[in-house]
Amino acid sequence: MDHVTTLVVDDQPLIRYALRLLLENSAEVRAVTEAGSETEALRQCERTHPRMVITELSISGEPAGAGICQFAKERLDNAAVLVFSGDSSPAAVATALNAGADSFVHKSADRNLLMEAVRSTLAGQRAWVLGTEPAGVAGEATQHTGTTLTSREEEVLALVLCRWSNDEIAGELHLARQTVKNYVSRILQKLGYGSRKELFKSFDFTGGTPPVGDSEDTVAAARNN
């Protein structure tokens, strides 16, 4: 990081304080500003023009983080956005991706993982600390850093995380089903998973039964069909 001005957005003062200390102690950060609401965050973006924005998705019970992310990506020159959220559900990650977030870190990540993600994001690489082990099971967050997805791959991943089948994704994006399977295969490879089942497991996904024929698709199967 090269003397980076950073905006931290969270409705919890203690989290903002902890992030401020962590970032300022990194020695490379020139200034850290804070915001506890969407209105304040947008005001700070216009006033300080931060090089990086770290924001929660849910602010005061509202999904304001997506709007902050979109604003930063559209209105700030070359701003990097890292979503630092307590919700690592597929819907939350899809929301962050669709809003243009560069990276996603679950709040269970330790400070070393978080700072590694910050540095990777500022270097132009995506960083993913996507989830934790199920409740009651000790374990570190699953981390995938330095992963770059194309815009189309992000679209496909967002729909996969929302539990769309390959046929549904093909219809929505006007692609051939085999093309969708190829995209899914590449996405799983880039994120370090062998199947959709592994992907959902890393998100601590517990709701319902995956679409027939999709949850067990491995990378090899996607290549060969």
Side-chain angles (χ1 to χ4, degrees):
M1 293 182 292
D2 183 19
H3 301 294
V4 175
T5 300
T6 303
L7 171 63
V8 173
V9 187
D10 200 290
D11 58 3
Q12 299 297 316
L14 287 178
I15 291 179
R16 297 200 306 271
Y17 176 73
L19 286 174
R20 172 189 280 274
L21 288 181
L22 182 61
L23 291 165
E24 290 181 338
N25 286 338
S26 69
E28 302 98 333
V29 175
R30 181 176 62 199
V32 179
T33 56
E34 301 178 21
S37 68
E38 181 178 19
T39 300
E40 186 179 359
L42 299 184
R43 185 183 302 119
Q44 289 285 10
C45 282
E46 293 182 329
R47 186 175 70 84
T48 64
H49 299 281
R51 172 68 176 81
M52 172 169 238
V53 176
I54 300 175
T55 183
E56 168 66 271
L57 282 178
S58 178
I59 301 173
S60 300
E62 299 294 329
I68 294 168
C69 178
Q70 289 175 325
F71 184 91
K73 299 303 291 185
E74 293 172 2
R75 302 286 291 274
L76 301 177
D77 292 336
N78 300 316
V81 178
L82 185 150
V83 169
F84 186 54
S85 178
D87 181 3
S88 63
S89 68
V93 178
T95 296
L97 284 170
N98 288 329
D102 298 293
S103 298
F104 188 102
V105 178
H106 188 260
K107 283 183 174 177
S108 63
D110 65 32
R111 61 185 181 181
N112 292 327
L113 283 178
L114 175 58
M115 288 308 300
E116 182 180 343
V118 168
R119 294 187 177 94
S120 294
T121 304
L122 287 170
Q125 299 176 324
R126 292 190 181 277
W128 306 99
V129 184
L130 298 176
T132 59
E133 294 293 327
V137 179
E140 293 184 350
T142 300
Q143 182 190 15
H144 303 285
T145 59
T147 300
T148 301
L149 299 180
T150 66
S151 297
R152 178 63 87 182
E153 287 169 345
E154 289 179 358
E155 290 178 325
V156 172
L157 175 59
L159 295 177
V160 168
L161 293 174
C162 289
R163 299 175 57 76
W164 288 41
S165 68
N166 286 345
D167 286 336
E168 290 171 329
I169 295 172
E172 176 68 16
L173 300 181
H174 306 290
L175 298 171
R177 187 177 191 276
Q178 184 59 49
T179 300
V180 172
K181 294 188 73 173
N182 292 339
Y183 272 122
V184 172
S185 173
R186 286 200 297 270
I187 291 166
L188 292 174
Q189 282 184 297
K190 286 183 176 183
L191 296 181
Y193 297 103
S195 68
R196 291 192 188 200
K197 183 177 181 179
E198 290 182 13
L199 175 65
F200 291 145
K201 184 178 179 181
S202 77
F203 281 98
D204 194 13
F205 187 84
T206 56
T209 302
V212 175
D214 282 81
S215 66
E216 297 295 337
D217 283 348
T218 63
V219 171
R223 286 175 178 165
N224 296 329
N225 290 313

